[in-house]
Amino acid sequence: MPELPEVEITRRQIEPLLVGRKIRRVETTKPSYFFLTPPALLAKKLVGRRITALERLGKYLIARLDDGSRLLLHLGMTGQLFGSGVSSVRLLSAARRSALAPEAQPAFEPDLHTHLRLYFADRGPVVLFRDVRKFGKCGLLPRDGADERLEKLGVDALSARGEDLFKAAALRKIPIKTLLLDQSVIAGVGNIYADEALFLAGVLPTRPAKRVTLPECKAIVKAAKRVMRRSIATGGSSISDYIQPDGRDGGYQDERRVYAREGEPCRACRTKIRRVVLGGRSTHFCPRCQP
DNA sequence: ACCGCACCCTGAGCGC
DNA sequence: TGCGCTCAGGGTGCGG
């Protein structure tokens, strides 16, 4: 679910709930493919540590700990990171939602999808990491330990240049959209913002990467930064699961130009938006604005 | 090296 | 009501 804008908003809002605080207790669900570090070991290593910083690299969050180790977090498709006490219907199953009185806003109670709970020495707000599909990741990187996931990330999308994309595009016949999703080229771009950026740049997503010119690559990267900055400003895209850590919905879903708008009129020319599948991902474009 | 595809997992929404 | 199917903001690992 979350792409760079959603992860950056999460970073900004969770930072004050983490940085400077000392972990008193850790609760997890049972071992699963969500945990890069076995949860019992993770809990043992985290207790007593103080968090000194929260950084973002592409779609990864990295919490620095006072012993030099780092807690690596990835939200995957359905990950939600928030403080205790928030309430949102997006934290409830459809069954629980419909059973609820329209006005009711009960505070979230940790459920079977809440894989990580951090309790702090100051007895203040608890930090919760919930992830229904478990495509998210949670693991501890030892002090001085490199991580190949982070090592192979390309330049962060917010500081990327057109040349970065153009260089990677050389000799590649994959669709430009697929290349945009490659985190080892530009980190942070996901399915929504790739489609939105290509629309704004006027480039057809199916075009073979090697046939995209440098000026077009510059336009694509510029457009990607523009939609992402705008998304951050509006709180991100709340389409199915994403909420801001404070429980509020984002607002960027209302500004989408092509993503998940198949059959609806293009906001620029009224042509019907089309959908194709590229690299196994839904891809949306306007056949007239993106020739 | 590159490319396409299956797979990891759970739930919502649809047609019948 | 219920079943079976498709789809979903991501990433990895496998064959050809």
Side-chain angles (χ1 to χ4, degrees), chain A residues 29-75:
Chain A
T29 50
K30 66 178 169 60
S32 73
Y33 130 130
F34 173 86
F35 291 102
L36 299 172
T37 304
L41 180 64
L42 182 71
K44 183 175 169 223
K45 297 268 191 186
L46 284 179
V47 170
R49 298 276 59 78
R50 189 180 298 274
I51 298 166
T52 58
L54 183 63
E55 299 165 358
R56 179 190 60 75
L57 230 51
K59 300 174 196 170
Y60 286 91
L61 287 173
I62 302 141
R64 293 194 174 274
L65 305 175
D66 59 0
D67 64 352
S69 62
R70 294 175 292 169
L71 177 64
L72 187 67
L73 304 170
H74 193 292
L75 300 179

Side-chain angles (χ1 to χ4, degrees), chain A residues 9-285:
Chain A
I9 293 160
T10 299
R11 191 197 68 76
R12 291 181 189 180
Q13 289 191 22
I14 283 291
E15 185 176 45
L17 286 183
L18 290 180
V19 173
R21 300 179 77 196
K22 185 175 174 180
I23 299 169
R24 168 172 67 87
R25 188 157 64 93
V26 177
E27 287 181 10
T28 71
T29 50
K30 66 178 169 60
S32 73
Y33 130 130
F34 173 86
F35 291 102
L36 299 172
T37 304
L41 180 64
L42 182 71
K44 183 175 169 223
K45 297 268 191 186
L46 284 179
V47 170
R49 298 276 59 78
R50 189 180 298 274
I51 298 166
T52 58
L54 183 63
E55 299 165 358
R56 179 190 60 75
L57 230 51
K59 300 174 196 170
Y60 286 91
L61 287 173
I62 302 141
R64 293 194 174 274
L65 305 175
D66 59 0
D67 64 352
S69 62
R70 294 175 292 169
L71 177 64
L72 187 67
L73 304 170
H74 193 292
L75 300 179
M77 289 277 264
T78 51
Q80 299 160 317
L81 196 55
F82 52 96
S84 54
V86 310
S87 63
S88 165
V89 292
R90 293 184 196 276
L91 293 169
L92 271 33
S93 68
R96 295 227 21 224
R97 246 182 252 194
S98 57
L100 222 55
E103 302 297 316
Q105 284 281 311
F108 173 73
E109 291 295 331
D111 59 1
L112 78 163
H113 302 303
T114 309
H115 303 297
L116 183 71
R117 309 180 203 182
L118 299 178
Y119 298 81
F120 295 90
D122 59 20
R123 312 271 158 168
V126 178
V127 171
L128 305 168
F129 188 174
R130 182 174 186 266
D131 183 3
V132 171
R133 287 177 76 182
K134 290 190 280 203
F135 287 173
K137 290 281 173 283
C138 180
L140 198 63
L141 307 182
R143 173 210 278 271
D144 304 326
D147 182 79
E148 68 175 39
R149 295 161 201 272
L150 299 181
E151 301 283 311
K152 69 183 180 195
L153 287 181
V155 57
D156 191 81
L158 289 183
S159 47
R161 297 165 309 132
E163 287 84 353
D164 298 320
L165 185 61
F166 186 67
K167 275 180 200 155
L171 306 178
R172 306 290 299 274
K173 59 182 228 181
I174 55 169
I176 186 66
K177 153 84 181 275
T178 304
L179 190 67
L180 259 185
L181 292 179
D182 184 340
Q183 302 298 297
S184 71
V185 178
I186 295 178
V189 183
N191 211 28
I192 296 177
Y193 302 106
D195 283 3
E196 297 296 311
L198 287 166
F199 172 83
L200 282 188
V203 175
L204 193 66
T206 54
R207 181 114 69 89
K210 63 183 177 184
R211 293 190 31 228
V212 181
T213 65
L214 177 58
E216 286 172 327
C217 284
K218 288 182 174 176
I220 292 167
V221 169
K222 192 173 176 182
K225 290 180 177 177
R226 180 179 154 198
V227 294
M228 288 186 164
R229 288 201 196 97
R230 174 62 187 161
S231 180
I232 291 171
T234 58
S237 295
S238 289
I239 292 174
S240 75
D241 300 278
Y242 175 75
I243 52 166
Q244 299 180 65
D246 61 15
R248 289 181 301 155
D249 273 9
Y252 196 76
Q253 64 279 3
D254 300 330
E255 300 191 16
R256 281 169 300 137
R257 293 168 173 88
V258 289
Y259 182 81
R261 294 194 64 244
E262 182 186 15
E264 295 175 42
C266 171
R267 299 200 196 286
C269 75
R270 316 306 294 169
T271 303
K272 280 192 177 183
I273 300 301
R274 286 197 49 205
R275 171 184 179 271
V276 295
V277 175
L278 294 181
R281 316 295 302 279
S282 267
T283 300
H284 315 77
F285 63 97

